[in-house]
Amino acid sequence: MTLIKRLRTLFFPNTSSPPSMPPVVSFATLPDYTAQRITQKPDSELAPPVTLSPVSQPSQLPDWVTDDESIRDEGVLFGLSDASPDGKLAQIRAVFAQQTAPLDEAIEQHSERIAEFNMFIEQRQNQIFSLRDQLLALQNSQPAPGNLIRTVASLCLSVIMCVGNFFLIDVMLYPSFPNRWVAIGVFLAGMFNLFGRTSFFYETDSKLSGRRIVEEVGMPLATSVFVLVQSLQTQSIGASIGLFVFVFFMFLLSGKLLLSTLTGLQSELRILEQNRQLIVSKEQHIPALSAEIARLEREVDTIRAQKWPIVTTLNHIEANLSQLNAQRDRLVNLFLSEFELARSIRDRLTEQQRKLMMDYK
């Protein structure tokens, strides 16, 4: 008969002893686990294949720890005596600490390995998001609208206008200056504003000054007056004045029109080249980006496949660690309950009863 049964018999002789606690479930030894290496590397370097050390198999618990009756008897003995229970509790905890130490180390190692896999997965997912944004932007990009035909037509009309103006001047100057080079020089002098960078005719916010007006209007005006004087020798006054006004405004506006048309043509050619490059870029980069995204997704799947066995093993280790901790707490509470019960009735026992209880064997 155990101590607790003898103690209960003294105070409750007609009460049957309560059924004993079921035996502590023995700790299931963990199987050795080694993290699988990445056997097939994807196109880019995956997580470095680090081999996890096998989980140390804990030794069997001592018999006095796995025997509930023995723990109860120990609690009763400590309760009937003047001994402190701290030493026995520390001994129980030390036994279980020895059992859980390799599990704690394995949990830390597996957690670090899982964190490493998560880091590599996050890196590749960020690359996938970036490439998808590039792919979407490239797919949504459309060729810029152009006005090449209109610009070319405007340029041709401007050239025709300038050529017509030259021949008109040449006809007016021919009686006095048969040499055509004189007409060419006069025409170029009238087109002097063509070489200016800007014109107040096409600028709304420009500040006018006398110097700028003379710079842009002076040469066309002087050339038109020269043509007027020469035309008066062969034409009527009305025709000469009309010719003066026509030539003057042709000099003022046609030069800038020709220059702006040339600038527009340059812009249209640039847009045409950009559209051509966009078409080529779509043909080359869209398949390349799609292939790169697919490759990175395969890498993510491979890394997850490598991480899953480690996660499974980690869950198994944590479950066994929780089982050990629960078993430790149950035994500590069992010891304390019997200790407190024995301590509460110790003073009610006679010395002979105490001796009888202590000498239960």
Side-chain angles (χ1 to χ4, degrees):
M1 182 181 294
T2 62
L3 281 175
I4 188 61
K5 292 180 180 179
R6 296 169 64 90
L7 185 62
R8 292 180 185 277
T9 303
L10 292 175
F11 292 92
F12 309 101
N14 297 327
T15 304
S16 59
S17 61
S20 60
M21 296 290 293
V24 178
V25 179
S26 61
F27 176 69
T29 58
L30 289 174
D32 291 345
Y33 172 75
T34 302
Q36 298 179 354
R37 294 174 178 263
I38 297 177
T39 56
Q40 294 181 351
K41 289 185 178 181
D43 298 338
S44 63
E45 188 66 24
L46 293 178
V50 178
T51 302
L52 298 177
S53 59
V55 179
S56 301
Q57 295 182 356
S59 57
Q60 293 292 335
L61 292 172
D63 294 338
W64 65 270
V65 175
T66 57
D67 186 5
D68 286 7
E69 297 299 333
S70 181
I71 292 295
R72 288 193 181 95
D73 290 346
E74 292 285 344
V76 172
L77 289 175
F78 275 81
L80 295 177
S81 65
D82 295 329
S84 174
D86 295 338
K88 191 64 176 180
L89 295 177
Q91 186 179 4
I92 296 175
R93 292 190 176 98
V95 170
F96 281 92
Q98 183 180 4
Q99 299 290 315
T100 58
L103 300 182
D104 292 332
E105 182 181 357
I107 289 175
E108 181 179 1
Q109 186 180 14
H110 285 69
S111 299
E112 291 178 355
R113 186 59 175 155
I114 291 174
E116 184 179 359
F117 277 119
N118 290 335
M119 179 188 67
F120 282 99
I121 291 176
E122 182 180 2
Q123 289 177 352
R124 281 153 180 79
Q125 286 180 339
N126 291 336
Q127 295 178 8
I128 290 174
F129 294 150
S130 177
L131 291 176
R132 282 178 177 172
D133 292 340
Q134 297 179 23
L135 180 61
L136 183 62
L138 190 59
Q139 290 175 341
N140 293 336
S141 60
Q142 300 295 330
N147 297 314
L148 181 61
I149 297 178
R150 182 175 182 272
T151 304
V152 171
S154 299
L155 179 62
C156 294
L157 293 176
S158 300
V159 172
I160 293 174
M161 290 171 57
C162 293
V163 172
N165 192 27
F166 165 74
F167 281 109
L168 181 61
I169 294 172
D170 184 46
V171 171
M172 293 297 104
L173 297 181
Y174 184 77
S176 301
F177 304 96
N179 192 343
R180 181 161 288 179
W181 286 105
V182 176
I184 294 175
V186 173
F187 173 78
L188 293 178
M191 298 288 290
F192 176 79
N193 65 335
L194 173 67
F195 308 103
R197 292 177 299 176
T198 59
S199 174
F200 63 84
F201 287 101
Y202 300 101
E203 294 180 356
T204 58
D205 299 331
S206 61
K207 183 179 180 180
L208 294 179
S209 62
R211 179 179 177 181
R212 184 173 183 183
I213 293 175
V214 172
E215 179 184 358
E216 294 196 20
V217 179
M219 286 301 296
L221 180 61
T223 304
S224 300
V225 171
F226 179 76
V227 174
L228 173 64
V229 173
Q230 298 301 321
S231 65
L232 287 174
Q233 299 178 7
T234 57
Q235 302 292 331
S236 64
I237 295 176
S240 298
I241 293 175
L243 179 64
F244 165 77
V245 174
F246 179 78
V247 172
F248 177 66
F249 281 99
M250 283 290 291
F251 282 147
L252 283 179
L253 302 178
S254 63
K256 291 301 179 182
L257 180 61
L258 179 62
L259 184 62
S260 61
T261 307
L262 289 174
T263 304
L265 179 63
Q266 182 182 6
S267 300
E268 293 298 328
L269 292 177
R270 185 182 302 112
I271 292 175
L272 182 63
E273 177 63 19
Q274 291 175 353
N275 292 339
R276 187 190 65 82
Q277 292 179 357
L278 177 61
I279 295 175
V280 174
S281 179
K282 282 188 173 183
E283 293 177 352
Q284 295 179 353
H285 293 167
I286 288 181
L289 290 174
S290 301
E292 181 68 11
I293 292 174
R295 183 183 64 82
L296 290 173
E297 289 176 346
R298 289 195 301 269
E299 287 188 8
V300 170
D301 294 338
T302 302
I303 296 175
R304 285 174 176 167
Q306 301 299 322
K307 186 184 76 170
W308 181 249
I310 303 179
V311 174
T312 303
T313 302
L314 177 62
N315 294 334
H316 182 64
I317 296 174
E318 289 177 343
N320 283 278
L321 179 63
S322 299
Q323 181 184 2
L324 273 179
N325 291 333
Q327 185 178 3
R328 177 201 62 200
D329 295 339
R330 188 182 67 81
L331 293 178
V332 168
N333 292 332
L334 179 62
F335 176 83
L336 286 176
S337 64
E338 300 300 336
F339 168 81
E340 292 172 356
L341 176 62
R343 182 61 58 91
S344 65
I345 64 176
R346 181 184 60 175
D347 297 334
R348 296 165 57 185
L349 298 176
T350 62
E351 187 68 25
Q352 182 179 2
Q353 289 175 330
R354 290 184 187 179
K355 184 177 180 181
L356 180 62
M357 294 294 298
M358 301 293 287
D359 190 20
Y360 70 97
K361 291 184 179 180

